[in-house]
Every structure is written in structure tokens, then in C-alpha cells.
Amino acid sequence: MASNRPAPEATLPPYGVPNDTDAFGAGEGTWEEWNPTAESVRPVRGRHRVAKQRGGIGRSSTVLGVGVIAAVGAGGIATAQDKPRVSISLPDAIADSLPDAESLPGVGSLMSDDSDTTDLATAGEAVVAAAPLTSAGVTTADAQQGTTDAGEALRARILQQAEQQQDAADAEAKEAAEREAAEKAAAEAAKQQSAAEDKAAEEKREAEAKAAEEKRKAEEAAAAKAEEERLAKLAASYAMPLSSYTISSTFGQAGSMWSSGYHTGLDFAAPTGTPLKAVHGGTVKSAGWSGSYGYHTVIELEDGTEVSYSHQSSIGVSVGQKVSTGEVIGRVGATGNVTGAHLHLEVHTPGGDGIDPAAWLRGKGLSV
């Protein structure tokens, strides 16, 4: 083990007496080899200390400096950029027992291969640059120039976080606005689609109603045409009993002149002697005098309907005779219970019920 110079004993002068020796009273005397032992080392206490070495930085100072800078960079509560460099040396007995700085995790990469010492400022810059907490929002130029500290870094980090939060809020607001606009557009599109569907449905209903109406009209027209054809065909086989006449009394008309209290037929007023024609072909069922009816003729049609002609002045057919449509069967008169010359026409169903002769004639295609 290397030897150090022996520590001189202190010989302080009395108070107030000048002394030419140094702080330890050594003066400029000669030095002898001194090997420290347990007995010789123990008294070296009190005001006597080993003189600090100046100039170089050992491995131990590098390790301690890097640890300080790493702690400052990780916590963000102090900075070593503006602090003066500190050199620490230890006796060789302690220094030799320390581990190699290059073998420490995270430190060996900061040291060069050809040098056992690393500049404290360079290591500090590397650690600060790698510390995300204190370097947030700090430019590289600021870090290199040392114009920032932990407070400034924290302020920059807070501002950066505030800006990020504001950006996130703006992005969220923008996304919400876009989502609202999309929902509004979708609702408007759905509304327009619904309106279009309603309009199409309404147009369809109108078209169907129009088609149904046209169909109904066509059917009615066809039915009217068929009825017209039927009536025309019937009219060819039916005829009015008089060619010229005036309706003087209608069916069902009330009055004291009729024994039943109402009129049971249809009266055609015409001059006496006007020819009477068979309304439709049939067989003469009766012909002769019939009390209040005067001269009276009844013709039975093929379907059993009976048509009677009353108040005739003369009868031109006999019972059992076949007659055809429009054939003259007698003449207008004023016989029986009458007030003037006219034809009293009655129509009875096969069951014997009296019906309105005017309606029956119209049903046969004749105009009364």
C-alpha cells in the first residue's frame, strides 16, 4: 500500500504572537516517511484534516455526481446545471474498494471507453436530456445554455399539459359537433325520405282512387248501355196504349171518387173513339161490361202479368183471343164511373197485387 506523508503535530504559538509557519505549524521543514498504524492514526482528529486534492476528478466523484444529477433529473425538483463543479477525492484505501463506474447500470454508457473519468457537466447534460419530467416543454438550446431550471421545466410541463388538454377538449368538441351535424343530417335525410314515402303513398292512393272511380264509371256506363239495349229490345216488344194522351190521374192518388179511397191505376185522357193498343202480346182473359169500369178488357201476358183497359166506348177483341204488341183492342170512351173520356189502365202481378202502371211501363223501356 502506498505511503502518505506523516502528519505534523500542531505547535500553535500563544495568542497574539506572530508565527511564520503555515496553518498547521509545519513551516518549511523536511518530511519523513510515515506509515500510519492504529496507534498513530487515532490521534489525528479535531482540527486536523487530510488536505483536499485539487485539479482532477476520480471515479468516486464521477459516480456521486452522476447520482446527484440522475436524482435531480428524475424528481424534477433541482438542477445541477448552474452549480459549480465539485471534486471529491478519497484515500486510496477507500477508492480501491469502490466498484468500477462503468459497471454501474445506466452510468457506463455515459463514460468513454478510453477514459476513467467523465466530465460532470457532460454527464449532467446527458441525464437532463434523458429526464422526461424536467425536459418537457424545454428546448435543446435552453438545456444546453442552462437558461432553465426545475421550476421553469415544471412550468413548461404544466403549460404543455394545459395545451394538450385544451387540444383534447377542442378535438372532443369538434368531434361532438361533427357527430351532432351527422345526426342532424341523418335526421333530415330520414325526414325527407319519410316525406317522399308519404307523398308516394298519397300519389298511389290517389291513383288507385282515380282508377277505381274510372272503373266504377266504366261499369256504370256499361250497365247503363246494357240497360238501354235491354230497354230498346223490350220497347220493340212493348208499346204505349195511346199515341196521343194527357195523364190526368196517377197511381195511389187519394180521393173520394174512388171506392177504395185511392186511385188504383193510371188515367190517359183522350177524345172518345181514340184507338186503344195492346201494350204487349198476350191472351184476352176477359172482355165486356164491368160495373164502374164500364166496358173493360183484361189481357194476360206470357209471364202472368194482367193488363186491364177500362171505360172503353167499344171493345174490339173477345175472350181467348191472342193479340200482339200494338194491336188495336178497342176505343177510348166514358163508360162506367167517370167524369170524362179517358183510358183507365191497371197492371196486376201474377199474384194479383196492383202496381204503378207508369213505373211498369218505364221498366219496359217506354217513356210515360
Side-chain angles (χ1 to χ4, degrees):
M1 181 176 65
S3 299
N4 293 325
R5 295 180 180 181
E9 295 182 358
T11 54
L12 297 178
Y15 180 78
V17 179
N19 187 10
D20 295 335
T21 62
D22 58 11
F24 296 96
E28 296 180 357
T30 59
W31 292 85
E32 296 179 359
E33 182 178 355
W34 176 62
N35 294 324
T37 63
E39 291 75 10
S40 62
V41 172
R42 183 178 303 273
V44 183
R45 294 178 179 269
R47 299 177 60 184
H48 300 278
R49 296 290 186 270
V50 178
K52 296 182 180 180
Q53 297 180 0
R54 302 291 181 176
I57 300 177
R59 290 198 186 101
S60 59
S61 62
T62 301
V63 173
L64 293 177
V66 170
V68 171
I69 296 175
V72 171
I77 58 176
T79 179
Q81 296 176 356
D82 297 332
K83 302 297 181 178
R85 298 181 179 180
V86 178
S87 59
I88 301 175
S89 61
L90 296 175
D92 293 341
I94 299 176
D96 292 341
S97 62
L98 294 176
D100 193 353
E102 296 180 357
S103 63
L104 295 177
V107 180
S109 59
L110 301 177
M111 304 180 65
S112 60
D113 296 338
D114 55 352
S115 176
D116 293 338
T117 60
T118 303
D119 184 78
L120 182 59
T122 304
E125 293 176 359
V127 174
V128 170
L133 295 178
T134 57
S135 63
V138 181
T139 62
T140 304
D142 293 339
Q144 291 178 354
Q145 295 176 4
T147 59
T148 182
D149 56 9
E152 182 65 21
L154 181 59
R155 174 180 174 276
R157 182 171 179 268
I158 293 173
L159 292 177
Q160 185 183 38
Q161 290 179 350
E163 184 177 358
Q164 292 175 353
Q165 292 175 358
Q166 183 63 37
D167 293 342
D170 294 341
E172 184 177 358
K174 181 179 179 181
E175 183 180 357
E178 292 176 352
R179 182 169 58 252
E180 182 179 359
E183 293 176 354
K184 183 176 181 181
E188 184 66 21
K191 182 178 179 180
Q192 293 179 358
Q193 182 178 0
S194 178
E197 292 177 355
D198 293 342
K199 183 178 180 181
E202 182 64 21
E203 292 177 353
K204 182 179 180 181
R205 285 193 295 269
E206 292 178 355
E208 291 177 351
K210 184 177 180 181
E213 181 66 16
E214 292 177 353
K215 182 180 180 180
R216 184 186 65 80
K217 290 182 178 180
E219 291 177 351
E220 290 180 354
K225 183 178 181 180
E227 182 66 13
E228 183 179 354
E229 292 176 353
R230 184 185 72 82
L231 294 177
K233 185 177 180 179
L234 288 173
S237 60
Y238 286 83
M240 291 298 291
L242 296 171
S243 299
S244 179
Y245 59 88
T246 299
I247 301 297
S248 57
S249 296
T250 59
F251 177 79
Q253 185 176 343
S256 60
M257 296 182 296
W258 302 288
S259 58
S260 62
Y262 64 93
H263 194 224
T264 58
L266 182 64
D267 289 349
F268 295 84
T272 300
T274 303
L276 296 176
K277 295 182 291 185
V279 176
H280 191 61
T283 302
V284 177
K285 185 175 182 179
S286 65
W289 184 263
S290 181
S292 62
Y293 284 105
Y295 288 109
H296 179 72
T297 301
V298 177
I299 298 176
E300 184 179 7
L301 305 183
E302 296 177 354
D303 61 357
T305 303
E306 293 181 356
V307 181
S308 63
Y309 306 81
S310 304
H311 309 306
Q312 297 179 60
S313 61
S314 63
I315 298 176
V317 294
S318 59
V319 176
Q321 180 181 344
K322 298 288 186 180
V323 297
S324 61
T325 301
E327 184 179 346
V328 176
I329 60 174
R331 293 186 182 274
V332 176
T335 59
N337 187 15
V338 296
T339 58
H342 71 281
L343 167 65
H344 178 79
L345 183 70
E346 290 187 7
V347 178
H348 294 265
T349 65
D353 298 328
I355 60 176
D356 184 3
W360 184 78
L361 291 172
R362 284 191 294 267
K364 302 306 179 182
L366 302 175
S367 179
V368 179

